[in-house]
Amino acid sequence: MRWAVGAILGISLSAMASQPPLRFAVADSWAMPMVQIERGRPTQGILYDMMLSLATQVGVPAQFHVLPRARVQNAMEHGEVDVRCYAAQSWLPNLSGDYIWSLPLFFQRDLLISRQDQPPSADPAHLPRQSIGTVLGYSYPTLQPIFDADRLWREDARNQEQVLDKLLAGRYRYAVSNQWTLDWFNQRLLPGQQLQAVAVLQEQKVGCYVRNDPNVPVQQILRTLLRMKMSGEIDDIIRLYTGSAGGEP
């Protein structure tokens, strides 16, 4: 019996290896707990675990392409990757019909943050003229009119963790971060050093979209994501890294 089970598993793994991989876009601007990138490859994190589980359940190998955020959509358009996750339709208003969106999978909260030597709340529209920490290539719709008016200006870093490192070091007084990354970053700091949220800038639901190509098992991917969400698997992955589920408050 043990031999038979091993043989079946071996056949299953062999069959999976013979299938074309499911190619995921990984933005190099992501930080933990979304993804840890080491030597150009993702190794852990909420999105890594979710994408790996998705490919396994679809029955194909997972292949991860780490790209600058500005190149991700171009890679989708040229057929270099098949799936992009942690995206919102509002970020891509001109996306063509060549892609199909999943249901919302995560809830993202973008925050204006500061060190504890600043007031515990702030209105970005009334801050004195200064630079604030931002991620290269990220759009911040609620702040863009203030940037356009030259009342605040961006100081871009390559990824979200670098933005928080610079804030902690005093390079600027305010920065933008999502809730997950802020909470993860604060875990390694003493209570008196931890960064604080001073304003909520935007809240939105995000998901994945898939390149609508006959060589990509689009409907199977979407059904699997739906099952992962409805079964609680995605929330369990979020809870593993953050201590709480990722649902809308």
Side-chain angles (χ1 to χ4, degrees), residues 26-37:
V26 175
D28 65 2
S29 57
W30 288 345
M32 284 295 282
M34 277 83 82
V35 165
Q36 177 73 46
I37 298 173

Side-chain angles (χ1 to χ4, degrees), residues 35-38 41-45 48-49:
V35 165
Q36 177 73 46
I37 298 173
E38 298 176 354
R41 299 181 62 182
T43 57
Q44 62 172 322
Y48 173 76
D49 288 2

Side-chain angles (χ1 to χ4, degrees), residues 8-247:
I8 292 171
L9 179 60
I11 293 170
S12 174
L13 293 174
S14 176
M16 181 182 293
S18 68
Q19 298 293 319
L22 193 56
R23 301 169 300 173
F24 294 97
V26 175
D28 65 2
S29 57
W30 288 345
M32 284 295 282
M34 277 83 82
V35 165
Q36 177 73 46
I37 298 173
E38 298 176 354
R39 298 181 180 178
R41 299 181 62 182
T43 57
Q44 62 172 322
I46 292 169
L47 300 181
Y48 173 76
D49 288 2
M50 187 205 75
M51 293 186 289
L52 188 61
S53 178
L54 169 61
T56 301
Q57 293 182 54
V58 171
V60 296
Q63 189 177 94
F64 300 100
H65 293 244
V66 178
L67 301 164
R69 189 176 189 276
R71 277 207 60 232
V72 170
Q73 185 52 35
N74 185 264
M76 292 285 285
E77 292 171 358
H78 286 82
E80 298 169 18
V81 290
D82 306 311
V83 183
R84 177 183 182 182
C85 288
Y86 208 71
Q89 295 189 45
S90 61
W91 301 349
L92 301 156
N94 300 316
L95 199 64
S96 74
D98 296 331
Y99 308 94
I100 300 181
W101 284 89
S102 74
L103 78 164
L105 303 171
F106 310 107
F107 183 78
Q108 174 177 274
R109 179 180 287 111
D110 285 331
L111 307 168
L112 185 69
I113 61 174
S114 72
R115 298 186 308 278
Q116 293 189 33
D117 58 3
Q118 298 298 318
S121 64
D123 181 346
H126 295 104
L127 291 175
R129 294 181 77 243
Q130 61 189 289
S131 62
I132 67 170
T134 51
V135 179
L136 180 66
Y138 278 26
S139 62
Y140 303 99
T142 55
L143 295 177
Q144 193 57 50
I146 309 174
F147 295 146
D148 292 342
D150 200 34
R151 297 200 304 273
L152 296 176
W153 54 91
R154 301 173 61 129
E155 183 169 329
D156 286 335
R158 187 170 55 84
N159 60 46
Q160 186 71 78
E161 187 173 6
Q162 288 181 358
V163 169
L164 302 189
D165 281 334
K166 288 183 174 183
L167 176 62
L168 188 65
R171 289 281 298 273
Y172 30 68
R173 289 186 288 171
Y174 295 95
V176 184
S177 174
N178 65 69
Q179 182 78 62
W180 286 351
T181 303
L182 174 62
D183 292 346
W184 181 271
F185 189 85
N186 276 338
Q187 288 179 10
R188 65 182 177 88
L189 300 175
L190 295 172
Q193 298 175 317
Q194 292 179 354
L195 303 175
Q196 61 179 351
V198 297
V200 176
L201 298 176
Q202 186 172 347
E203 297 177 320
Q204 63 187 327
K205 296 175 181 179
V206 295
C208 303
Y209 64 96
V210 186
R211 194 165 54 84
N212 192 17
D213 185 291
N215 296 317
V216 179
V218 176
Q219 292 305 318
Q220 189 178 2
I221 292 167
L222 298 175
R223 286 195 301 269
T224 302
L225 286 170
L226 174 62
R227 185 168 62 249
M228 291 171 67
K229 181 62 176 178
M230 299 304 293
S231 70
E233 178 183 350
I234 289 176
D235 285 343
D236 287 343
I237 293 171
I238 296 170
R239 192 177 291 109
L240 176 67
Y241 287 95
T242 68
S244 61

